[in-house]
Amino acid sequence: MFICLAVAVPYIDLFISLFGALCLSALGLAFPAIIDSSTYWYTLKGTRGTLIIIKNCCILIFAVFGLVVGTSTSLEKIIEKFSNSNSTA
């Protein structure tokens, strides 16, 4: 799959930007929050448990926001690059 994407996006900097936007939000932000919540789910009681769940939900919302913004910005740059290269050819 990634080979097809690399062929479709020959500019490596744009490919790295798109891949980073997709992976950073998931691997760096969302998955640790999900793992933290699921690991301690049965011990999250009282005020402390509620605060941890709220914290993890905020991290998830931030990760989804980063995913959407990063991916849309990368795709806009890819579209702009290809539209400029096609118009000059």
Side-chain angles (χ1 to χ4, degrees), residues 3-16:
I3 293 171
C4 295
L5 189 58
V7 170
V9 184
Y11 302 103
I12 192 72
D13 57 337
L14 299 175
F15 175 71
I16 290 172

Side-chain angles (χ1 to χ4, degrees), residues 35-68:
I35 291 169
D36 183 47
S37 292
S38 61
T39 301
Y40 300 111
W41 184 254
Y42 292 110
T43 61
L44 295 175
K45 296 182 175 134
T47 305
R48 184 174 181 270
T50 304
L51 290 176
I52 291 173
I53 291 172
I54 291 171
K55 174 199 65 141
N56 288 338
C57 288
C58 289
I59 291 172
L60 281 171
I61 291 169
F62 184 72
V64 170
F65 179 74
L67 172 77
V68 170

Side-chain angles (χ1 to χ4, degrees), residues 16-32:
I16 290 172
S17 174
L18 179 62
F19 189 72
L22 292 171
C23 290
L24 174 67
S25 62
L27 293 175
L29 294 171
F31 288 161

